[in-house]
Amino acid sequence: MTRSPLEAADWLQPDWPAPANVRAICTTRNGGVSAAPYASLNLGSHVGDDAIAVARNRAVLQQALGVKPVFLNQVHGTGMLELDHGTPDGAAFDGAFTREHGLACTIMVADCLPVLLCDVQGTQVAAVHAGWRGLAGEGASSGGIGVLEQVLKRFRPLALVEYELVAPELIAWLGPCIGPTAFEVGVEVVEAFTQTNPQALEYFRPQPGGKWLANLPALARQRLGALGVTQVFGNDGSEAWCTVSNPSRFFSHRRDRVSGRLAACIWLE
């Protein structure tokens, strides 16, 4: 029996209690046609890879999903885009959400944290690119409003369930990212989080020379919890989820400098 591209490339399928009509995957670096250093399923068109190879890789992804992935031009900001069937690739946003069926909200990463969200009613989905800048927002000047706060503001605040309007319960899945033993940052990153949330200091570990190790998935879990999203699955900060520590499975810009991009996708069937 011929295996699907998803099975053959050992892509990640979230283990979470999403409704049956919510589908999600996160690619690995396997299953495409790109040559080194982008081998093999590089989905980024902006990293120096051959454009024909990237197009073929994106076709592999779309065939595996069975729906159209919409790619963003991610800018490490907090902007959110609502997708519809006329949305083109390349819009400058760091998150996408939709209530349309047959469109995949798609985030590309190579160390930053992908966050996938849905409501338990299965009426809306979102994908968020959460590097430290987007996660922290603009620090004290914006009240700490980051990319997760922005996407939850844009999710429909009420959903119709059996003819009654109720606030939707949301669940989240965190994909692979740079892990807490590899993510060395400067004091400005610590300050970006702790200026508005002193408790965030718990997820930074001081290192020699004024550096710190940051636990990106734990910081995301903390912010999601503060927003009322308590069902959070996926990346727990262990080494298996670390993009830097798993070169055969994940791309990593921090590790390789020249690197391909993974994609995390979520859609409504």
Side-chain angles (χ1 to χ4, degrees):
M1 180 182 296
T2 302
R3 294 190 296 170
S4 71
L6 189 153
E7 295 170 325
D10 190 29
W11 296 353
L12 284 72
Q13 300 181 69
D15 183 9
W16 63 337
N21 69 313
V22 173
R23 301 290 306 279
I25 63 95
C26 181
T27 65
T28 65
R29 66 180 300 162
N30 303 314
V33 300
S34 290
Y38 308 103
S40 65
L41 190 71
N42 166 47
L43 296 162
S45 61
H46 61 296
V47 295
D49 193 5
D50 176 70
I52 295 175
V54 175
R56 290 177 63 187
N57 290 339
R58 290 187 173 190
V60 167
L61 176 66
Q62 182 163 342
Q63 180 183 11
L65 301 185
V67 298
K68 180 182 185 296
V70 180
F71 292 91
L72 303 176
N73 175 22
Q74 297 161 198
V75 294
H76 295 275
T78 62
M80 292 293 121
L81 177 66
E82 183 169 7
L83 304 184
D84 60 35
H85 285 277
T87 304
D89 289 335
F93 291 88
D94 280 272
F97 68 101
T98 192
R99 290 177 281 274
E100 300 278 347
H101 293 252
L103 283 176
C105 300
T106 302
I107 292 297
M108 290 185 292
V109 292
D111 282 328
C112 291
L113 176 69
V115 182
L116 304 181
L117 298 125
C118 70
D119 62 0
V120 299
Q121 291 83 19
T123 66
Q124 52 195 335
V125 294
V128 176
H129 171 242
W132 75 261
R133 289 180 179 84
L135 195 58
E138 298 176 1
S141 64
S142 68
I145 303 300
V147 70
L148 294 176
E149 287 82 4
Q150 291 290 357
V151 73
L152 294 187
K153 281 169 55 179
R154 300 293 301 274
F155 254 26
R156 181 179 291 166
L158 295 173
L160 184 64
V161 179
E162 294 182 356
Y163 306 104
E164 294 184 6
L165 287 173
V166 298
E169 182 182 354
L170 305 178
I171 61 176
W173 182 82
L174 310 183
C177 71
I178 187 169
T181 63
F183 193 21
E184 187 176 75
V185 300
V187 68
E188 72 280 0
V189 179
V190 183
E191 292 174 349
F193 284 92
T194 58
Q195 281 176 353
T196 55
N197 179 19
Q199 289 73 33
L201 186 61
E202 177 183 354
Y203 303 114
F204 292 92
R205 200 168 72 208
Q207 301 296 297
K211 298 293 187 179
W212 298 75
L213 287 175
N215 190 330
L216 194 59
L219 288 163
R221 285 173 180 267
Q222 183 184 56
R223 294 182 84 96
L224 286 165
L227 292 165
V229 183
T230 57
Q231 294 191 75
V232 183
F233 303 86
N235 191 337
D236 59 3
S238 60
E239 188 170 307
W241 292 94
C242 178
T243 47
V244 176
S245 301
N246 294 276
S248 66
R249 197 173 199 202
F250 301 132
F251 293 117
S252 168
H253 178 74
R254 177 70 66 102
R255 182 190 64 231
D256 299 330
R257 309 313 298 176
V258 177
S259 170
R261 295 295 184 269
L262 313 171
C265 308
I266 186 167
W267 66 100
L268 296 168
E269 285 195 327

